[in-house]
Amino acid sequence: MDKTTAQSVAHVLIEALPYIQRFAGKTIVIKYGGNAMTEEHLKAGFARDIVLLKQVGVNPVVVHGGGPQIGSLLKRLGKVSEFVHGLRVTDRETMDVVQMVLGGLVNQEIVSLINRFGGRAVGLTGKDGQMIRARPLRELNGPDGMTAVDLGMVGEVESVDPAIVHNLDKSAFIPVIAPIGFDRDGNAYNINADTAAEKLAVVLDAEKLFLLTNTPGVLNAQGELIPRLTAAEVDEMIRSGVIHGGMIPKIRCALDAVRSGVTATHIVDGRVEHAVLLELLTNEGVGTLISR
């Protein structure tokens, strides 16, 4: 390493220092999905980010999706995926596949990657430790917007018991959570990963919630990235139609989190290598920060 390169590295570390000091001991919930979960170099970069955060005293909690992986296995099994408002209709046979993919294949791949880079990750689903209690989600559809659609074993979060996550954090472990909940009869439910991450962030009194996406962040009417927004500004952008379509559910999760006590939510471009570190520990960041 030459002198110029060494000085550049030192500058980066010095820039990160006040952020490390600020967030040491704090909980950061990260919803992991999109390209960051499918491209090999991005997966490795994400795992390193999580290990580094834990090493400097931050408590990362990872909540992951797995829609493409579920869809791929269903297709191989000859089962057609049906969606309503972006939610996968989940009968009991599909729920078996969801549990196998989310709670097994995907979860354990993430755990293995984090451990490979020196972390101590523990894979969980919302059923473990009775963490995520769920109830059936009834999506409204039809011209009147009032017709209930039966989505099968798709759930919404009824309550969250964070005890198992707290215990893992205190023991230097990194929780990696698949968004599968359970009801009072022990039935499993497929829960949207953004929603599960948001509810966990609130109950854990998290300092920040990160939502990794395949977009740069929140864009203005000219398609330019907006680095910072308040909740009121986001409301106005939704009313005016600047924020629309598939971004609205993610933004609503972000708003619900900050209005329920999370200090800030970050909509982050998961296609950027080391996006979590860049957004959390540098002055510029790589996404949109939403605060109260």
Side-chain angles (χ1 to χ4, degrees):
M1 182 184 294
D2 60 31
K3 183 177 180 181
T4 301
T5 303
Q7 288 176 332
S8 297
V9 171
H11 176 76
V12 170
L13 293 173
I14 290 168
E15 182 181 332
L17 177 59
Y19 296 101
I20 292 171
Q21 292 170 325
R22 176 181 172 188
F23 299 125
K26 304 289 187 180
T27 296
I28 308 294
V29 176
I30 304 154
K31 185 269 176 165
Y32 178 45
N35 282 46
M37 231 175 102
T38 58
E39 297 185 19
E40 293 302 321
H41 72 289
L42 294 176
K43 290 194 290 185
F46 177 81
R48 288 192 184 98
D49 289 358
I50 297 303
V51 173
L52 190 150
L53 287 176
K54 190 69 176 180
Q55 193 67 42
V56 299
V58 180
N59 292 319
V61 175
V62 179
V63 180
H64 64 83
Q69 293 90 334
I70 293 169
S72 176
L73 182 52
L74 287 171
K75 185 176 180 180
R76 284 163 53 194
L77 295 172
K79 194 168 181 65
V80 177
S81 296
E82 179 186 351
F83 292 87
V84 175
H85 293 177
L87 298 170
R88 188 188 304 276
V89 177
T90 307
D91 59 20
R92 290 191 179 273
E93 184 181 29
T94 301
M95 190 64 219
D96 289 341
V97 173
V98 168
Q99 292 194 83
M100 181 169 62
V101 173
L102 288 187
L105 297 173
V106 173
N107 187 272
Q108 290 307 300
E109 181 186 26
I110 299 166
V111 167
S112 296
L113 262 179
I114 292 173
N115 291 346
R116 174 181 150 198
F117 291 112
R120 302 179 71 192
V122 176
L124 304 165
T125 76
K127 297 165 69 177
D128 292 309
Q130 301 187 32
M131 183 178 7
I132 301 177
R133 183 68 64 86
R135 59 182 171 233
L137 175 65
R138 295 292 180 254
E139 184 72 7
L140 298 180
N141 200 11
D144 58 358
M146 296 299 291
T147 304
V149 177
D150 185 359
L151 298 171
M153 308 307 290
V154 175
E156 61 181 347
V157 177
E158 186 175 76
S159 63
V160 176
D161 182 345
I164 190 170
V165 176
H166 284 313
N167 287 334
L168 290 171
D169 280 345
K170 286 186 288 188
S171 302
F173 292 103
I174 300 168
V176 178
I177 302 167
I180 298 170
F182 72 103
D183 67 11
R184 297 176 189 279
D185 297 319
N187 297 306
Y189 287 87
N190 183 14
I191 297 172
N192 176 273
D194 287 344
T195 303
E198 177 250 312
K199 299 298 184 187
L200 273 162
V202 172
V203 172
L204 291 169
D205 194 25
E207 180 74 11
K208 290 180 179 290
L209 168 64
F210 280 75
L211 301 175
L212 269 62
T213 73
N214 287 341
T215 64
V218 180
L219 308 180
N220 62 20
Q222 290 73 45
E224 301 164 333
L225 176 67
I226 306 173
R228 300 179 69 93
L229 285 169
T230 65
E233 289 169 333
V234 171
D235 284 336
E236 177 55 34
M237 291 177 71
I238 293 174
R239 279 194 296 270
S240 66
V242 174
I243 297 175
H244 60 278
M247 181 59 82
I248 289 181
K250 195 172 293 288
I251 288 293
R252 293 207 184 281
C253 278
L255 289 176
D256 288 346
V258 297
R259 285 173 170 156
S260 298
V262 177
T263 303
T265 300
H266 299 252
I267 310 292
V268 179
D269 192 345
R271 300 168 301 178
V272 176
E273 194 167 7
H274 303 298
V276 173
L277 289 187
L278 291 169
E279 180 68 9
L280 185 66
L281 302 181
T282 69
N283 295 332
E284 296 301 321
V286 291
T288 300
L289 181 154
I290 299 171
S291 64
R292 286 191 291 275

